Amino acid sequence: MSDAYQAALSFLYGRIDYERAVGMPYGSRELKLDRMRDLLRRLGDPQQRLPIVHVAGTKGKGSTSAMIAAVLSAAGYSTGLYTSPHLERLEERFRIDGRMCGEQELAALTDKLRPVVADMDREAEAIGGGESGPTYFELTTALGLLHFVDRGVDAAVIEVGLGGRLDSTNVCTPRVGVITSISFDHMKQLGNTLEAIAREKAGIVKSGVPLVSGVTAEGPRREIERICRERGAPLIELERDFDFTYRPAQAVDAGPVWPTIDFVSHAAGREQRLVDVKVGLLGEHQGANAAIALAVIDQLRAQGWSISDAAARRGLAEVRWPARVEVVARRPTVILDSAHNAASIGALVRTLHESFRARDRLLVFATTQEKQVDEMLELLLPHFDRAIFTRYQNNPRGVPPEELAALARQTSDIPVDVCPEVAAAWQTAREAADDDHLICVTGSFFIAAEMRAYATGDAARITVPST
């Protein structure tokens, strides 16, 4: 790790970071687009020089973004992919054709930011009144856009961080917008009803830009339809304009076997069918994400992009996305999943039953404050024989494992262990499991990140901040 790279990480991690802050604001002066627009203007407005697909949604937005990018790359387009958060290294957020940004590139890009940030910090201090310079997420978003422009990509797939309306990524005018799903998450910031959450997600809708939506629940669907109608944005909806049939993989723990989907689209009066499309990610929810990705590709084709069916098949078959029902070890089988709300936990449980044979199952669980902890545990615990509760070290928003264990004992009589640290949780799990066990680690992106390093035997790779 070079000094320049370490200095870049220290600079970025030293900014305000709402991904790890206790009491994340939303709708306040700290989360507004004026500062992001000002930052990008000073950097030459890189977002205006990129053909962008902009992807929002409560769950599935990262996987769908990866799928779209994989198909575009398979079609021969140099494709940038910006996602958040990262599992092990900050550079994971900035990928081109599947390859993450290098350490030297990250350091050079950060050097471009330093004088601009210094000027904005001074100006904010002079204004006073609680104004501040750019945040960590604003800077990483700008880094991704600069990286893609510097490397001359043909397309960029940009994942929304939180919400949509006020997210730092919402400064672009994309070729296609996407809302993958609406479910309960970040209610303190986005609202306590699905309709309110849908309104925030639909803040990415732009006039005249087609929006592909995977939302099927009636209330949020109506909200998205209303906003698209008001803004003159064509709307392409799952179960109306396109649909899919899912066939799950079987006995994945015995080897790499993948699910398939059949896809049909009637968008814009054109019928398209793709049968027996292999999907490189497990679960019916990933089948839905693959269908959304294909609907996006259909819209790009209508705009003149050259993307063959063969490229679509190859991209979806080859896509891999970590911590999404990811099998990282066998004998015992170890699964990492970043599910962090009730809807995504439900999808995980269904996938475990569809694609993994019955066996003794051990749960390792940690999650974040303000999540649907009761609902998540009620969904999970009946399907496991033992639970280990822990707390990730690199985010102060983690729920104490003693609290998780107390909640578990109220609803289940399975044996429960409490491990204050992830390393101890991994050791406890390995000591309790024989070769025929299944160990499932879930509850948060952050526990998946920290446990992945132990499960793969490479804990030294983690570069998240230590605060």
Side-chain angles (χ1 to χ4, degrees):
M1 185 181 297
S2 69
D3 290 344
Y5 172 68
Q6 186 58 57
L9 293 182
S10 297
F11 173 76
L12 294 169
Y13 288 140
R15 307 302 297 183
I16 295 172
D17 181 4
Y18 290 122
E19 290 178 7
R20 291 175 169 82
V22 177
M24 182 193 306
Y26 190 82
S28 76
R29 63 188 174 199
E30 279 304 312
L31 288 178
K32 59 185 181 182
L33 297 182
D34 289 348
R35 183 172 57 209
M36 186 65 189
R37 291 193 183 100
D38 184 25
L39 171 63
L40 293 177
R41 179 186 59 78
R42 296 171 190 237
L43 295 169
D45 282 319
Q47 79 283 5
Q48 295 180 6
R49 292 182 273 166
L50 293 167
I52 288 172
V53 176
H54 196 201
V55 185
T58 305
K59 60 187 183 71
K61 56 190 169 73
S63 298
T64 303
S65 297
M67 290 176 179
I68 296 167
V71 172
L72 290 173
S73 293
Y77 292 101
S78 174
T79 305
L81 174 62
Y82 173 71
T83 59
S84 62
H86 60 273
L87 277 171
E88 296 169 335
R89 300 180 67 89
L90 177 63
E91 304 95 282
E92 295 170 22
R93 299 180 182 227
F94 328 113
R95 298 176 187 263
I96 296 177
D97 296 330
R99 295 183 296 275
M100 66 183 181
C101 175
E103 291 186 4
Q104 290 184 340
E105 287 179 299
L106 179 68
L109 289 165
T110 304
D111 285 343
K112 291 185 179 181
L113 293 180
R114 291 178 188 274
V116 172
V117 173
D119 288 343
M120 294 180 71
D121 283 347
R122 283 193 296 269
E123 292 169 11
E125 185 177 357
I127 293 170
E131 293 292 326
S132 64
T135 66
Y136 168 79
F137 187 75
E138 289 168 343
L139 293 181
T140 55
T141 302
L143 277 174
L145 295 169
L146 284 175
H147 180 47
F148 300 152
V149 168
D150 285 354
R151 294 283 295 273
V153 301
D154 301 314
V157 183
I158 306 296
E159 180 195 5
V160 168
L162 171 67
R165 180 175 63 93
L166 296 177
D167 189 74
S168 299
T169 65
N170 197 28
V171 292
C172 63
T173 301
R175 301 297 175 89
V176 183
V178 186
I179 300 176
T180 58
S181 66
I182 299 293
S183 57
F184 287 110
D185 200 14
H186 297 296
M187 284 89 79
K188 185 174 181 180
Q189 291 79 27
L190 304 182
N192 292 316
T193 67
L194 293 179
E195 291 78 5
I197 294 170
R199 285 192 291 273
E200 290 296 328
K201 304 287 186 186
I204 71 164
V205 174
K206 305 295 191 302
S207 175
V209 176
L211 180 84
V212 174
S213 173
V215 178
T216 57
E218 189 60 29
R221 188 171 185 163
R222 281 198 306 268
E223 286 298 312
I224 293 169
E225 289 174 344
R226 177 184 63 79
I227 291 170
C228 285
R229 187 169 56 249
E230 290 175 353
R231 299 183 186 177
L235 177 60
I236 301 92
E237 293 183 289
L238 178 62
E239 295 184 353
R240 187 193 72 176
D241 302 296
F242 67 98
D243 214 333
F244 73 101
T245 303
Y246 175 76
R247 286 180 293 277
Q250 301 293 328
V252 173
D253 37 2
V257 181
W258 302 107
T260 60
I261 65 167
D262 296 339
F263 171 80
V264 60
S265 171
H266 301 283
R270 296 178 291 108
E271 180 171 309
Q272 179 192 5
R273 290 183 182 272
L274 281 176
V275 178
D276 201 29
V277 179
K278 185 183 296 184
V279 180
L281 298 173
L282 297 172
E284 186 171 5
H285 57 298
Q286 298 293 6
N289 293 335
I292 293 166
L294 289 172
V296 170
I297 295 305
D298 196 31
Q299 290 301 305
L300 292 174
R301 285 170 170 163
Q303 296 176 26
W305 294 60
S306 178
I307 308 166
S308 68
D309 287 351
R313 289 180 180 276
R314 187 165 63 255
L316 291 179
E318 294 177 354
V319 69
R320 300 292 183 269
W321 203 231
R324 276 73 171 183
V325 198
E326 180 188 16
V327 180
V328 295
R330 303 184 191 277
R331 301 184 65 81
T333 296
V334 181
I335 295 170
L336 302 181
D337 192 77
S338 55
H340 55 269
N341 66 5
S344 53
I345 289 290
L348 167 62
V349 168
R350 288 191 296 274
T351 305
L352 290 177
H353 284 288
E354 286 174 349
S355 298
F356 295 85
R357 58 190 173 88
R359 73 235 324 258
D360 289 335
R361 292 179 174 175
L362 194 157
L363 173 69
V364 180
F365 185 88
T367 195
T368 304
Q369 297 169 23
E370 303 174 3
K371 296 293 182 180
Q372 301 166 289
V373 181
D374 288 347
E375 295 93 328
M376 293 163 72
L377 291 177
E378 287 174 6
L379 288 167
L380 280 168
L381 294 176
H383 306 283
F384 288 88
D385 303 289
R386 181 174 178 176
I388 299 170
F389 295 103
T390 188
R391 181 177 185 168
Y392 29 85
Q393 306 304 301
N394 290 306
N395 190 324
R397 295 164 60 206
V399 179
E402 297 83 3
E403 292 184 19
L404 296 173
L407 288 171
R409 293 185 181 108
Q410 293 175 13
T411 59
S412 176
D413 58 1
I414 65 172
V416 168
D417 296 282
V418 174
C419 296
E421 297 181 353
V422 171
W426 173 245
Q427 182 176 352
T428 300
R430 288 298 289 116
E431 290 174 352
D434 60 30
D435 284 354
D436 201 45
H437 269 75
L438 182 147
I439 301 172
C440 180
V441 181
T442 192
S444 168
F445 205 95
F446 299 103
I447 184 61
E450 292 189 25
M451 191 63 77
R452 190 175 199 272
Y454 290 102
T456 58
D458 201 1
R461 288 189 300 169
I462 298 179
T463 62
V464 293
S466 58
T467 57

